[in-house]
Amino acid sequence: MNSRLILSMVLACAAAVAQGADILPQCRGGAVPQAGPPDTALFVAIDATTPLDAELRHQVMDYIKPFLVAGNTIAVAVFPSAEKTPQPDLVLSGRLDTPLDSAARGALSKSLLARFDQCLLTQKQMARQYTAQALKRLFDTATGSTGHTEVMGSMRALSQAVQASTARNKVVLVVSDMLEHSEAGDFYADHRRTVRRVDPVMELRTADSHHLFGDFGGARVYVLAAGLLPDGGKAKPESDRRAMQLLQDFWSGYFGKSHAQLAGFGQVELEQPMR
């Protein structure tokens, strides 16, 4: 694959990122047989109202990198404050193609094989580059606002895309304080300086009455930055362990009722590795 073609692919993908479209060139098609369903679909949802420090920003990318491999798909979405809409905005998406088996390779010309193999390498490079750039842009514009925030509404909307995925394995990474502040509930206390000790059973009933459960199609969900509170434009972890346990209990129940498993829940790191 010549340098001019690679440059054109890079420019096309840069434009795609700006439009929230697929970021990766497709290597299969034409004489190259199409692949089956993705192995794993990773969905990353960023809460625009949750500010992260530099260490947490790098950590988010570190959690994502192992999933940027052949056979997987990546989608990154941002959900803004509910003054705008709880509907997450797709920032980027893409699929990394799988290598060809020996039989398929034997049926193709050497020149076509060389272009295909180069395309796979370009895909992987672009996946890391544009995912990192998109995350940086989102983190840099995080507001740290404790205004009207419909986390449950955003999760319900996100679940539609997750449920529709044909991937064998569905993984969701939510980077959010997970503090609802809407008609369906207020998870803040002390003038929004601390996390309220919620009643998970009562809050789940309220969520049900507002029709806020979704359908994640059996996905595993990991939450990072739970309970982070704005502090001068940055963020500080909530120190009330009881409040954090009740918050986790609520979201465990919420995702359970939304056909998902809360597999990890943390403030500054995940206790369990994403898989």
Side-chain angles (χ1 to χ4, degrees):
M1 186 175 289
N2 60 48
S3 59
R4 180 176 297 179
L5 181 55
I6 293 176
L7 177 59
S8 67
M9 290 167 59
V10 171
L11 292 175
C13 287
V17 169
Q19 300 171 3
D22 287 348
I23 61 170
L24 303 179
Q26 290 304 292
C27 303
R28 290 174 176 263
V32 182
Q34 295 287 353
D39 293 327
T40 297
L42 174 64
F43 295 84
V44 182
I46 307 294
D47 184 346
T49 69
T50 304
L52 306 180
D53 60 23
E55 184 177 350
L56 265 176
R57 293 182 182 195
H58 289 300
Q59 195 159 291
V60 172
M61 189 61 195
D62 287 342
Y63 286 134
I64 293 173
K65 283 179 182 178
F67 290 88
L68 299 179
V69 296
N72 290 355
T73 63
I74 173 75
V76 178
V78 58
F79 54 98
S81 64
E83 278 86 352
K84 297 179 180 179
T85 171
Q87 182 72 33
D89 294 324
L90 180 66
V91 176
L92 62 83
S93 63
R95 175 173 179 170
L96 290 93
D97 286 310
T98 53
L100 297 170
D101 59 29
S102 56
R105 292 184 68 87
L108 300 178
S109 67
K110 290 184 178 180
S111 61
L112 187 56
L113 280 176
R115 289 197 296 272
F116 176 79
D117 291 340
Q118 180 60 55
C119 183
L120 292 183
L121 292 175
T122 303
Q123 270 191 341
K124 187 173 182 178
Q125 294 168 355
M126 287 182 173
R128 291 197 174 197
Q129 177 184 350
Y130 287 119
T131 299
Q133 289 177 354
L135 290 176
K136 182 180 185 304
R137 185 169 66 252
L138 294 177
F139 294 148
D140 286 346
T141 57
T143 64
S145 168
T146 56
H148 197 64
T149 308
E150 294 186 13
V151 182
M152 285 185 281
S154 296
M155 293 297 99
R156 179 185 60 186
L158 175 66
S159 76
Q160 297 174 7
V162 179
Q163 196 276 336
S165 171
T166 60
R168 301 181 182 90
N169 188 34
K170 303 175 185 181
V171 179
V172 180
L173 172 61
V174 182
V175 183
S176 170
D177 57 24
M178 305 305 282
L179 298 176
E180 183 81 9
H181 182 57
S182 70
E183 293 180 358
D186 188 352
F187 291 3
Y188 289 99
D190 190 23
H191 303 287
R192 303 181 190 175
R193 291 195 293 266
T194 59
V195 177
R196 182 170 66 86
R197 293 190 177 189
V198 301
D199 181 335
V201 174
M202 184 184 72
E203 298 296 345
L204 288 171
R205 288 174 181 167
T206 302
D208 188 25
S209 68
H210 283 76
H211 309 289
L212 289 172
F213 296 127
D215 184 353
F216 284 86
R220 290 191 301 278
V221 179
Y222 298 84
V223 173
L224 181 66
L228 286 186
L229 297 163
D231 182 21
K234 299 181 180 179
K236 63 177 181 179
E238 169 59 60
S239 59
D240 187 337
R241 293 185 179 182
R242 180 57 178 165
M244 285 302 301
Q245 183 59 59
L246 291 171
L247 182 67
Q248 180 174 349
D249 291 346
F250 166 78
W251 284 109
S252 179
Y254 174 88
F255 286 116
K257 290 180 177 296
S258 297
H259 305 109
Q261 174 195 358
L262 182 60
F265 191 89
Q267 290 186 293
V268 296
E269 65 180 349
L270 297 174
E271 294 182 358
Q272 300 295 331
M274 288 175 58
R275 59 180 181 85

